[in-house]
Tab-separated table of all heavy atoms in Angstrom:
chain	number	residue	atom	x	y	z
A	19	MET	N	-18.243	-5.492	2.139
A	19	MET	CA	-17.222	-6.331	1.556
A	19	MET	C	-17.282	-6.223	-0.018
A	19	MET	O	-18.395	-6.188	-0.558
A	19	MET	CB	-17.403	-7.725	2.085
A	19	MET	CG	-16.409	-8.712	1.377
A	19	MET	SD	-16.455	-10.322	2.317
A	19	MET	CE	-15.187	-11.061	1.390
A	20	LEU	N	-16.142	-6.337	-0.509
A	20	LEU	CA	-16.174	-6.268	-2.092
A	20	LEU	C	-16.638	-7.577	-2.577
A	20	LEU	O	-16.241	-8.676	-2.114
A	20	LEU	CB	-14.624	-5.949	-2.502
A	20	LEU	CG	-14.229	-4.589	-2.309
A	20	LEU	CD1	-12.855	-4.472	-2.753
A	20	LEU	CD2	-15.080	-3.648	-3.175
A	21	CYS	N	-17.318	-7.539	-3.624
A	21	CYS	CA	-17.773	-8.678	-4.320
A	21	CYS	C	-17.179	-8.698	-5.836
A	21	CYS	O	-16.578	-7.605	-6.136
A	21	CYS	CB	-19.244	-8.788	-4.418
A	21	CYS	SG	-20.081	-7.400	-5.181
A	22	ALA	N	-17.200	-9.756	-6.499
A	22	ALA	CA	-16.589	-9.896	-7.869
A	22	ALA	C	-17.084	-8.768	-8.800
A	22	ALA	O	-16.084	-8.228	-9.475
A	22	ALA	CB	-16.901	-11.280	-8.402
A	23	GLU	N	-18.284	-8.502	-8.938
A	23	GLU	CA	-18.766	-7.654	-9.884
A	23	GLU	C	-18.284	-6.253	-9.577
A	23	GLU	O	-17.950	-5.373	-10.445
A	23	GLU	CB	-20.318	-7.622	-9.970
A	23	GLU	CG	-20.842	-8.996	-10.702
A	23	GLU	CD	-20.912	-10.040	-9.631
A	23	GLU	OE1	-20.561	-10.000	-8.559
A	23	GLU	OE2	-21.363	-11.213	-10.237
A	24	ARG	N	-18.296	-5.795	-8.368
A	24	ARG	CA	-17.810	-4.424	-7.890
A	24	ARG	C	-16.313	-4.380	-8.119
A	24	ARG	O	-15.865	-3.374	-8.465
A	24	ARG	CB	-18.138	-4.197	-6.399
A	24	ARG	CG	-19.580	-3.865	-6.168
A	24	ARG	CD	-19.822	-3.577	-4.803
A	24	ARG	NE	-21.260	-3.312	-4.512
A	24	ARG	CZ	-21.811	-3.000	-3.412
A	24	ARG	NH1	-21.005	-2.728	-2.366
A	24	ARG	NH2	-23.073	-2.694	-3.249
A	25	MET	N	-15.675	-5.468	-7.850
A	25	MET	CA	-14.108	-5.483	-8.075
A	25	MET	C	-13.912	-5.293	-9.531
A	25	MET	O	-12.853	-4.621	-9.914
A	25	MET	CB	-13.512	-6.741	-7.459
A	25	MET	CG	-12.066	-6.645	-7.298
A	25	MET	SD	-11.514	-5.352	-6.178
A	25	MET	CE	-9.876	-5.221	-6.747
A	26	GLN	N	-14.654	-5.882	-10.441
A	26	GLN	CA	-14.495	-5.816	-11.830
A	26	GLN	C	-14.584	-4.330	-12.252
A	26	GLN	O	-13.784	-3.836	-13.105
A	26	GLN	CB	-15.449	-6.606	-12.574
A	26	GLN	CG	-15.409	-6.443	-14.092
A	26	GLN	CD	-16.521	-7.081	-14.814
A	26	GLN	OE1	-17.562	-7.195	-14.318
A	26	GLN	NE2	-16.308	-7.533	-16.081
A	27	ARG	N	-15.614	-3.573	-11.675
A	27	ARG	CA	-15.697	-2.151	-11.998
A	27	ARG	C	-14.552	-1.270	-11.568
A	27	ARG	O	-14.062	-0.485	-12.128
A	27	ARG	CB	-17.047	-1.617	-11.449
A	27	ARG	CG	-18.174	-2.151	-12.333
A	27	ARG	CD	-19.501	-1.610	-11.618
A	27	ARG	NE	-20.617	-2.275	-12.275
A	27	ARG	CZ	-21.192	-3.356	-11.916
A	27	ARG	NH1	-20.767	-4.135	-11.005
A	27	ARG	NH2	-22.275	-3.792	-12.635
A	28	ILE	N	-13.941	-1.698	-10.373
A	28	ILE	CA	-12.736	-1.042	-9.852
A	28	ILE	C	-11.524	-1.300	-10.779
A	28	ILE	O	-10.772	-0.406	-11.064
A	28	ILE	CB	-12.354	-1.622	-8.410
A	28	ILE	CG1	-13.535	-0.924	-7.450
A	28	ILE	CG2	-11.136	-1.018	-7.907
A	28	ILE	CD1	-13.479	-1.614	-6.113
A	29	VAL	N	-11.319	-2.518	-11.279
A	29	VAL	CA	-10.341	-2.854	-12.177
A	29	VAL	C	-10.468	-2.136	-13.442
A	29	VAL	O	-9.510	-1.565	-14.068
A	29	VAL	CB	-10.234	-4.483	-12.435
A	29	VAL	CG1	-9.356	-4.829	-13.484
A	29	VAL	CG2	-9.791	-5.149	-11.143
A	30	GLN	N	-11.567	-1.945	-14.043
A	30	GLN	CA	-11.901	-1.230	-15.172
A	30	GLN	C	-11.579	0.307	-14.997
A	30	GLN	O	-10.987	0.889	-15.832
A	30	GLN	CB	-13.409	-1.254	-15.539
A	30	GLN	CG	-13.836	-2.661	-16.118
A	30	GLN	CD	-15.300	-2.797	-16.424
A	30	GLN	OE1	-16.070	-2.125	-15.907
A	30	GLN	NE2	-15.555	-3.928	-17.201
A	31	ALA	N	-11.912	0.816	-13.817
A	31	ALA	CA	-11.561	2.226	-13.528
A	31	ALA	C	-10.021	2.377	-13.531
A	31	ALA	O	-9.498	3.379	-14.045
A	31	ALA	CB	-12.091	2.654	-12.206
A	32	ILE	N	-9.337	1.434	-12.900
A	32	ILE	CA	-7.898	1.423	-12.819
A	32	ILE	C	-7.304	1.465	-14.290
A	32	ILE	O	-6.383	2.127	-14.600
A	32	ILE	CB	-7.400	0.222	-12.018
A	32	ILE	CG1	-7.678	0.592	-10.546
A	32	ILE	CG2	-5.798	0.146	-12.179
A	32	ILE	CD1	-7.436	-0.656	-9.557
A	33	ILE	N	-7.853	0.491	-15.139
A	33	ILE	CA	-7.430	0.450	-16.552
A	33	ILE	C	-7.565	1.747	-17.235
A	33	ILE	O	-6.781	2.250	-18.033
A	33	ILE	CB	-8.064	-0.757	-17.211
A	33	ILE	CG1	-7.602	-2.000	-16.660
A	33	ILE	CG2	-7.797	-0.723	-18.714
A	33	ILE	CD1	-8.359	-3.253	-17.180
A	34	LEU	N	-8.786	2.342	-16.953
A	34	LEU	CA	-9.009	3.650	-17.711
A	34	LEU	C	-8.069	4.707	-17.270
A	34	LEU	O	-7.556	5.563	-17.912
A	34	LEU	CB	-10.467	4.198	-17.374
A	34	LEU	CG	-11.552	3.415	-18.121
A	34	LEU	CD1	-12.977	3.703	-17.628
A	34	LEU	CD2	-11.502	3.559	-19.646
A	35	GLY	N	-7.742	4.722	-15.893
A	35	GLY	CA	-6.629	5.568	-15.372
A	35	GLY	C	-5.350	5.325	-16.071
A	35	GLY	O	-4.620	6.225	-16.290
A	36	LEU	N	-5.005	4.059	-16.186
A	36	LEU	CA	-3.781	3.731	-16.998
A	36	LEU	C	-3.717	4.234	-18.327
A	36	LEU	O	-2.812	4.849	-18.829
A	36	LEU	CB	-3.628	2.196	-16.913
A	36	LEU	CG	-2.496	1.622	-17.832
A	36	LEU	CD1	-1.191	1.959	-17.293
A	36	LEU	CD2	-2.619	0.173	-18.024
A	37	ILE	N	-4.915	4.167	-19.016
A	37	ILE	CA	-4.991	4.715	-20.334
A	37	ILE	C	-4.806	6.298	-20.334
A	37	ILE	O	-4.057	6.801	-21.318
A	37	ILE	CB	-6.368	4.391	-21.001
A	37	ILE	CG1	-6.445	2.796	-21.260
A	37	ILE	CG2	-6.567	5.100	-22.302
A	37	ILE	CD1	-7.854	2.258	-21.543
A	38	LEU	N	-5.391	6.912	-19.473
A	38	LEU	CA	-5.157	8.357	-19.367
A	38	LEU	C	-3.711	8.619	-19.022
A	38	LEU	O	-3.182	9.736	-19.610
A	38	LEU	CB	-6.131	8.918	-18.254
A	38	LEU	CG	-7.513	8.924	-18.614
A	38	LEU	CD1	-8.292	9.446	-17.398
A	38	LEU	CD2	-7.828	9.941	-19.813
A	39	GLY	N	-3.157	7.926	-18.151
A	39	GLY	CA	-1.672	8.059	-17.831
A	39	GLY	C	-0.769	7.850	-19.044
A	39	GLY	O	0.109	8.727	-19.265
A	40	LEU	N	-1.063	6.837	-19.824
A	40	LEU	CA	-0.278	6.617	-21.080
A	40	LEU	C	-0.516	7.647	-22.111
A	40	LEU	O	0.471	8.275	-22.638
A	40	LEU	CB	-0.731	5.195	-21.701
A	40	LEU	CG	-0.284	4.069	-20.949
A	40	LEU	CD1	-0.987	2.832	-21.558
A	40	LEU	CD2	1.114	3.843	-21.055
A	41	ALA	N	-1.710	8.258	-22.263
A	41	ALA	CA	-1.989	9.338	-23.192
A	41	ALA	C	-1.314	10.570	-22.618
A	41	ALA	O	-0.727	11.367	-23.468
A	41	ALA	CB	-3.494	9.561	-23.298
A	42	GLY	N	-1.340	10.844	-21.384
A	42	GLY	CA	-0.670	12.077	-20.807
A	42	GLY	C	0.777	11.904	-20.901
A	42	GLY	O	1.422	13.034	-20.965
A	43	SER	N	1.369	10.717	-20.941
A	43	SER	CA	2.804	10.583	-21.236
A	43	SER	C	3.230	10.601	-22.663
A	43	SER	O	4.344	10.273	-23.014
A	43	SER	CB	3.254	9.305	-20.523
A	43	SER	OG	3.024	9.288	-19.141
A	44	LYS	N	2.187	10.816	-23.506
A	44	LYS	CA	2.391	10.857	-24.942
A	44	LYS	C	2.754	9.494	-25.492
A	44	LYS	O	3.511	9.336	-26.571
A	44	LYS	CB	3.432	11.934	-25.322
A	44	LYS	CG	2.990	13.288	-25.015
A	44	LYS	CD	3.910	14.276	-25.558
A	44	LYS	CE	3.644	15.619	-25.185
A	44	LYS	NZ	3.198	16.661	-25.015
A	45	MET	N	2.338	8.456	-24.819
A	45	MET	CA	2.451	7.162	-25.383
A	45	MET	C	1.152	6.654	-26.006
A	45	MET	O	0.445	5.812	-25.483
A	45	MET	CB	2.813	6.164	-24.213
A	45	MET	CG	4.156	6.522	-23.520
A	45	MET	SD	4.525	5.433	-22.136
A	45	MET	CE	4.895	3.960	-22.981
A	46	PHE	N	0.723	7.407	-27.058
A	46	PHE	CA	-0.445	7.233	-27.685
A	46	PHE	C	-0.805	5.870	-28.228
A	46	PHE	O	-1.822	5.428	-28.300
A	46	PHE	CB	-0.715	8.304	-28.763
A	46	PHE	CG	-0.698	9.642	-28.187
A	46	PHE	CD1	0.385	10.549	-28.532
A	46	PHE	CD2	-1.494	10.163	-27.310
A	46	PHE	CE1	0.424	11.853	-28.033
A	46	PHE	CE2	-1.559	11.497	-26.649
A	46	PHE	CZ	-0.565	12.330	-27.109
A	47	ALA	N	0.263	5.241	-28.853
A	47	ALA	CA	0.044	3.869	-29.364
A	47	ALA	C	-0.324	2.828	-28.308
A	47	ALA	O	-1.210	2.089	-28.475
A	47	ALA	CB	1.282	3.460	-30.210
A	48	ALA	N	0.348	2.927	-27.140
A	48	ALA	CA	0.037	1.993	-26.126
A	48	ALA	C	-1.353	2.286	-25.581
A	48	ALA	O	-2.134	1.404	-25.267
A	48	ALA	CB	1.068	2.124	-25.003
A	49	ALA	N	-1.741	3.591	-25.382
A	49	ALA	CA	-2.999	3.986	-24.897
A	49	ALA	C	-4.078	3.485	-25.891
A	49	ALA	O	-5.102	2.917	-25.450
A	49	ALA	CB	-3.201	5.513	-24.760
A	50	PHE	N	-3.869	3.628	-27.226
A	50	PHE	CA	-4.772	3.148	-28.224
A	50	PHE	C	-4.994	1.629	-28.096
A	50	PHE	O	-6.133	1.180	-28.164
A	50	PHE	CB	-4.346	3.573	-29.552
A	50	PHE	CG	-5.185	3.041	-30.663
A	50	PHE	CD1	-6.392	3.724	-30.999
A	50	PHE	CD2	-4.884	1.940	-31.429
A	50	PHE	CE1	-7.235	3.257	-32.029
A	50	PHE	CE2	-5.748	1.492	-32.408
A	50	PHE	CZ	-6.865	2.190	-32.788
A	51	VAL	N	-3.890	0.851	-28.013
A	51	VAL	CA	-3.883	-0.552	-27.966
A	51	VAL	C	-4.752	-0.976	-26.613
A	51	VAL	O	-5.597	-1.902	-26.862
A	51	VAL	CB	-2.619	-1.248	-27.974
A	51	VAL	CG1	-2.622	-2.606	-27.682
A	51	VAL	CG2	-1.879	-0.972	-29.262
A	52	VAL	N	-4.443	-0.519	-25.563
A	52	VAL	CA	-5.193	-0.869	-24.336
A	52	VAL	C	-6.680	-0.534	-24.388
A	52	VAL	O	-7.432	-1.276	-24.019
A	52	VAL	CB	-4.509	-0.239	-23.148
A	52	VAL	CG1	-5.242	-0.519	-21.824
A	52	VAL	CG2	-3.006	-0.705	-22.917
A	53	THR	N	-6.906	0.612	-25.010
A	53	THR	CA	-8.333	1.100	-25.077
A	53	THR	C	-9.071	0.021	-26.141
A	53	THR	O	-10.247	-0.368	-25.769
A	53	THR	CB	-8.409	2.476	-25.717
A	53	THR	OG1	-7.782	3.359	-24.908
A	53	THR	CG2	-9.876	2.973	-25.993
A	54	VAL	N	-8.539	-0.244	-27.242
A	54	VAL	CA	-9.142	-1.184	-28.149
A	54	VAL	C	-9.337	-2.579	-27.418
A	54	VAL	O	-10.389	-3.188	-27.586
A	54	VAL	CB	-8.223	-1.343	-29.437
A	54	VAL	CG1	-8.746	-2.538	-30.188
A	54	VAL	CG2	-8.304	-0.051	-30.219
A	55	ALA	N	-8.410	-3.038	-26.698
A	55	ALA	CA	-8.443	-4.319	-25.986
A	55	ALA	C	-9.617	-4.343	-25.059
A	55	ALA	O	-10.418	-5.269	-24.947
A	55	ALA	CB	-7.171	-4.689	-25.268
A	56	MET	N	-9.645	-3.186	-24.223
A	56	MET	CA	-10.700	-3.112	-23.287
A	56	MET	C	-12.116	-2.980	-24.031
A	56	MET	O	-13.096	-3.568	-23.581
A	56	MET	CB	-10.555	-1.802	-22.487
A	56	MET	CG	-11.445	-1.714	-21.407
A	56	MET	SD	-11.058	-0.438	-20.209
A	56	MET	CE	-12.327	-0.445	-19.073
A	57	MET	N	-12.160	-2.266	-25.070
A	57	MET	CA	-13.479	-2.212	-25.878
A	57	MET	C	-13.879	-3.534	-26.478
A	57	MET	O	-15.155	-3.949	-26.373
A	57	MET	CB	-13.287	-1.260	-27.106
A	57	MET	CG	-13.327	0.292	-26.728
A	57	MET	SD	-12.888	1.437	-28.061
A	57	MET	CE	-13.561	0.693	-29.497
A	58	VAL	N	-13.001	-4.353	-26.878
A	58	VAL	CA	-13.343	-5.643	-27.496
A	58	VAL	C	-13.839	-6.522	-26.342
A	58	VAL	O	-14.822	-7.205	-26.529
A	58	VAL	CB	-12.043	-6.234	-28.136
A	58	VAL	CG1	-12.281	-7.675	-28.462
A	58	VAL	CG2	-11.731	-5.578	-29.466
A	59	MET	N	-13.208	-6.596	-25.193
A	59	MET	CA	-13.580	-7.328	-24.083
A	59	MET	C	-14.958	-7.024	-23.551
A	59	MET	O	-15.831	-7.837	-23.306
A	59	MET	CB	-12.537	-7.337	-23.024
A	59	MET	CG	-11.256	-8.004	-23.267
A	59	MET	SD	-11.412	-9.666	-23.662
A	59	MET	CE	-12.034	-10.418	-22.165
A	60	LEU	N	-15.273	-5.641	-23.490
A	60	LEU	CA	-16.589	-5.198	-23.086
A	60	LEU	C	-17.606	-5.567	-24.117
A	60	LEU	O	-18.751	-5.907	-23.741
A	60	LEU	CB	-16.494	-3.764	-22.745
A	60	LEU	CG	-15.709	-3.239	-21.497
A	60	LEU	CD1	-15.538	-1.842	-21.404
A	60	LEU	CD2	-16.379	-3.821	-20.399
A	61	PHE	N	-17.268	-5.501	-25.288
A	61	PHE	CA	-18.277	-5.738	-26.376
A	61	PHE	C	-18.671	-7.240	-26.327
A	61	PHE	O	-19.751	-7.585	-26.355
A	61	PHE	CB	-17.650	-5.316	-27.825
A	61	PHE	CG	-18.587	-5.395	-28.893
A	61	PHE	CD1	-19.802	-4.521	-28.911
A	61	PHE	CD2	-18.595	-6.421	-29.887
A	61	PHE	CE1	-20.648	-4.494	-29.924
A	61	PHE	CE2	-19.480	-6.468	-30.885
A	61	PHE	CZ	-20.500	-5.532	-30.977
A	62	ILE	N	-17.628	-8.140	-26.164
A	62	ILE	CA	-17.780	-9.551	-26.112
A	62	ILE	C	-18.643	-9.985	-24.912
A	62	ILE	O	-19.510	-10.735	-24.962
A	62	ILE	CB	-16.462	-10.297	-26.229
A	62	ILE	CG1	-15.867	-10.290	-27.537
A	62	ILE	CG2	-16.711	-11.819	-25.834
A	62	ILE	CD1	-14.442	-10.740	-27.661
A	63	ALA	N	-18.184	-9.384	-23.825
A	63	ALA	CA	-19.088	-9.657	-22.582
A	63	ALA	C	-20.530	-9.143	-22.733
A	63	ALA	O	-21.369	-9.734	-22.188
A	63	ALA	CB	-18.335	-8.896	-21.398
A	64	GLY	N	-20.628	-7.984	-23.370
A	64	GLY	CA	-22.057	-7.548	-23.522
A	64	GLY	C	-22.811	-8.346	-24.456
A	64	GLY	O	-24.017	-8.508	-24.258
A	65	LEU	N	-22.322	-8.933	-25.430
A	65	LEU	CA	-23.060	-9.803	-26.380
A	65	LEU	C	-23.255	-11.202	-25.944
A	65	LEU	O	-24.289	-11.739	-26.119
A	65	LEU	CB	-22.299	-9.805	-27.751
A	65	LEU	CG	-22.401	-8.588	-28.568
A	65	LEU	CD1	-21.585	-8.740	-29.891
A	65	LEU	CD2	-23.851	-8.111	-28.964
A	66	THR	N	-22.170	-11.776	-25.238
A	66	THR	CA	-22.276	-13.179	-24.980
A	66	THR	C	-22.402	-13.451	-23.384
A	66	THR	O	-22.900	-14.501	-23.095
A	66	THR	CB	-20.968	-13.866	-25.400
A	66	THR	OG1	-19.911	-13.357	-24.619
A	66	THR	CG2	-20.696	-13.643	-26.890
A	67	GLY	N	-22.232	-12.462	-22.601
A	67	GLY	CA	-22.159	-12.687	-21.184
A	67	GLY	C	-20.893	-13.303	-20.679
A	67	GLY	O	-20.746	-13.524	-19.490
A	68	PHE	N	-20.040	-13.714	-21.564
A	68	PHE	CA	-18.696	-14.294	-21.154
A	68	PHE	C	-17.721	-13.168	-20.878
A	68	PHE	O	-17.379	-12.410	-21.657
A	68	PHE	CB	-18.234	-15.239	-22.234
A	68	PHE	CG	-16.932	-15.817	-22.062
A	68	PHE	CD1	-16.653	-16.849	-21.076
A	68	PHE	CD2	-15.810	-15.269	-22.688
A	68	PHE	CE1	-15.509	-17.365	-20.883
A	68	PHE	CE2	-14.449	-15.817	-22.512
A	68	PHE	CZ	-14.313	-16.811	-21.525
A	69	CYS	N	-17.168	-13.224	-19.633
A	69	CYS	CA	-16.145	-12.268	-19.336
A	69	CYS	C	-15.070	-13.001	-18.539
A	69	CYS	O	-15.246	-13.368	-17.299
A	69	CYS	CB	-16.747	-11.236	-18.290
A	69	CYS	SG	-15.544	-9.997	-17.902
A	70	PRO	N	-13.871	-13.206	-19.191
A	70	PRO	CA	-12.733	-13.986	-18.450
A	70	PRO	C	-12.335	-13.304	-17.161
A	70	PRO	O	-12.007	-13.885	-16.214
A	70	PRO	CB	-11.656	-13.959	-19.492
A	70	PRO	CG	-12.330	-13.638	-20.805
A	70	PRO	CD	-13.541	-12.849	-20.454
A	71	GLY	N	-12.286	-11.973	-17.229
A	71	GLY	CA	-11.929	-11.317	-15.991
A	71	GLY	C	-12.864	-11.501	-14.818
A	71	GLY	O	-12.276	-11.678	-13.727
A	72	LEU	N	-14.056	-11.537	-15.037
A	72	LEU	CA	-14.989	-11.781	-14.015
A	72	LEU	C	-14.944	-13.220	-13.412
A	72	LEU	O	-15.061	-13.383	-12.284
A	72	LEU	CB	-16.458	-11.455	-14.601
A	72	LEU	CG	-17.530	-11.460	-13.486
A	72	LEU	CD1	-17.187	-10.411	-12.275
A	72	LEU	CD2	-18.870	-11.064	-14.114
A	73	MET	N	-14.644	-14.186	-14.369
A	73	MET	CA	-14.565	-15.491	-13.954
A	73	MET	C	-13.312	-15.603	-12.972
A	73	MET	O	-13.470	-16.325	-12.007
A	73	MET	CB	-14.314	-16.450	-15.282
A	73	MET	CG	-15.463	-16.538	-15.966
A	73	MET	SD	-15.367	-17.553	-17.519
A	73	MET	CE	-14.154	-18.830	-17.041
A	74	ILE	N	-12.266	-14.852	-13.312
A	74	ILE	CA	-11.080	-14.928	-12.479
A	74	ILE	C	-11.401	-14.320	-11.129
A	74	ILE	O	-11.065	-14.797	-10.005
A	74	ILE	CB	-9.889	-14.267	-13.019
A	74	ILE	CG1	-9.405	-15.054	-14.279
A	74	ILE	CG2	-8.774	-14.006	-12.123
A	74	ILE	CD1	-8.499	-14.404	-15.208
A	75	LEU	N	-12.072	-13.111	-11.175
A	75	LEU	CA	-12.445	-12.417	-9.944
A	75	LEU	C	-13.362	-13.245	-9.032
A	75	LEU	O	-13.326	-13.114	-7.834
A	75	LEU	CB	-12.940	-11.070	-10.181
A	75	LEU	CG	-12.020	-10.065	-10.763
A	75	LEU	CD1	-12.728	-8.820	-11.296
A	75	LEU	CD2	-10.926	-9.642	-9.646
A	76	LYS	N	-14.249	-14.069	-9.634
A	76	LYS	CA	-15.168	-14.907	-8.842
A	76	LYS	C	-14.456	-15.941	-8.079
A	76	LYS	O	-15.016	-16.514	-7.245
A	76	LYS	CB	-16.258	-15.353	-9.827
A	76	LYS	CG	-17.366	-14.394	-10.054
A	76	LYS	CD	-18.431	-15.013	-10.967
A	76	LYS	CE	-19.505	-13.938	-11.213
A	76	LYS	NZ	-20.662	-14.502	-12.057
A	77	ASN	N	-13.287	-16.276	-8.544
A	77	ASN	CA	-12.374	-17.239	-7.848
A	77	ASN	C	-11.815	-16.744	-6.617
A	77	ASN	O	-11.466	-17.344	-5.712
A	77	ASN	CB	-11.454	-17.872	-8.686
A	77	ASN	CG	-11.909	-18.818	-9.724
A	77	ASN	OD1	-12.956	-19.406	-9.470
A	77	ASN	ND2	-11.313	-18.875	-10.947
A	78	ILE	N	-11.707	-15.275	-6.542
A	78	ILE	CA	-10.979	-14.582	-5.505
A	78	ILE	C	-12.065	-14.007	-4.523
A	78	ILE	O	-11.849	-14.030	-3.335
A	78	ILE	CB	-10.027	-13.565	-6.097
A	78	ILE	CG1	-9.026	-14.136	-6.989
A	78	ILE	CG2	-9.426	-12.817	-4.961
A	78	ILE	CD1	-8.207	-13.120	-7.820
A	79	PHE	N	-13.088	-13.338	-5.153
A	79	PHE	CA	-14.076	-12.673	-4.317
A	79	PHE	C	-15.418	-13.309	-4.488
A	79	PHE	O	-15.688	-13.973	-5.589
A	79	PHE	CB	-14.236	-11.206	-4.887
A	79	PHE	CG	-12.975	-10.445	-4.648
A	79	PHE	CD1	-12.055	-10.083	-5.816
A	79	PHE	CD2	-12.745	-9.736	-3.472
A	79	PHE	CE1	-10.952	-9.429	-5.628
A	79	PHE	CE2	-11.585	-9.033	-3.401
A	79	PHE	CZ	-10.693	-8.834	-4.380
A	80	PRO	N	-16.311	-13.266	-3.534
A	80	PRO	CA	-17.646	-13.882	-3.681
A	80	PRO	C	-18.473	-13.091	-4.739
A	80	PRO	O	-18.300	-11.900	-4.805
A	80	PRO	CB	-18.258	-13.761	-2.345
A	80	PRO	CG	-17.454	-12.662	-1.602
A	80	PRO	CD	-16.176	-12.564	-2.259
A	81	PRO	N	-19.404	-13.786	-5.360
A	81	PRO	CA	-20.262	-13.021	-6.243
A	81	PRO	C	-21.276	-12.046	-5.452
A	81	PRO	O	-21.541	-12.367	-4.292
A	81	PRO	CB	-21.125	-14.088	-7.019
A	81	PRO	CG	-20.851	-15.403	-6.131
A	81	PRO	CD	-19.673	-15.211	-5.395
A	82	CYS	N	-21.580	-10.997	-6.191
A	82	CYS	CA	-22.514	-10.063	-5.522
A	82	CYS	C	-23.893	-10.728	-5.405
A	82	CYS	O	-24.374	-11.516	-6.199
A	82	CYS	CB	-22.696	-8.775	-6.355
A	82	CYS	SG	-21.122	-7.825	-6.399
A	83	LYS	N	-24.656	-10.432	-4.227
A	83	LYS	CA	-25.869	-10.894	-3.932
A	83	LYS	C	-26.857	-9.824	-4.640
A	83	LYS	O	-26.784	-8.709	-4.322
A	83	LYS	CB	-26.144	-11.127	-2.489
A	83	LYS	CG	-25.404	-12.202	-1.948
A	83	LYS	CD	-25.864	-12.317	-0.520
A	83	LYS	CE	-25.161	-13.554	0.118
A	83	LYS	NZ	-23.829	-13.335	0.739
A	84	CYS	N	-27.920	-10.257	-5.411
A	84	CYS	CA	-28.937	-9.397	-5.902
A	84	CYS	C	-29.813	-9.003	-4.887
A	84	CYS	O	-30.390	-9.856	-4.173
A	84	CYS	CB	-29.584	-10.050	-7.090
A	84	CYS	SG	-28.529	-10.513	-8.515
A	85	GLU	N	-30.018	-7.743	-4.830
A	85	GLU	CA	-31.037	-7.341	-3.794
A	85	GLU	C	-32.241	-6.686	-4.492
A	85	GLU	O	-32.123	-5.557	-4.922
A	85	GLU	CB	-30.388	-6.277	-2.854
A	85	GLU	CG	-29.239	-6.916	-1.961
A	85	GLU	CD	-28.606	-5.930	-1.078
A	85	GLU	OE1	-29.222	-4.853	-0.779
A	85	GLU	OE2	-27.417	-6.145	-0.614
A	86	ASP	N	-33.233	-7.442	-4.734
A	86	ASP	CA	-34.493	-6.959	-5.467
A	86	ASP	C	-35.364	-6.338	-4.541
A	86	ASP	O	-35.703	-6.539	-3.416
A	86	ASP	CB	-35.074	-8.083	-6.202
A	86	ASP	CG	-34.174	-8.585	-7.343
A	86	ASP	OD1	-33.430	-7.832	-7.907
A	86	ASP	OD2	-34.308	-9.804	-7.484
């Protein structure tokens, strides 16, 4: 079953595919804006641990269980 953290990675992969599609369609400005937005969100999440997208996904999917 999908959990929130795995679903977040799937959404990130879809966004990267969208960026590649925009660049392939020669919509470089839009691809650049989406890339910068994704970079800023990942940077903030890396520094603070706060990720709005993950908070939303945790309301839809259960959190992943850590298997140590």
Side-chain angles (χ1 to χ4, degrees):
M19 177 165 182
L20 286 177
C21 58
E23 289 83 0
R24 287 184 181 180
M25 193 62 199
Q26 179 190 27
R27 289 179 182 89
I28 292 170
V29 170
Q30 289 174 343
I32 291 169
I33 292 171
L34 289 173
L36 171 71
I37 292 167
L38 287 173
L40 289 170
S43 299
K44 297 187 181 322
M45 298 177 72
F46 298 116
F50 178 77
V51 169
V52 176
T53 302
V54 169
M56 187 171 181
M57 285 174 33
V58 168
M59 291 302 295
L60 289 171
F61 191 71
I62 290 170
L65 288 178
T66 66
F68 173 72
C69 181
L72 187 56
M73 287 175 38
I74 293 167
L75 288 172
K76 282 184 178 178
N77 290 328
I78 302 168
F79 298 96
C82 293
K83 292 184 173 86
C84 294
E85 296 180 22
D86 295 327

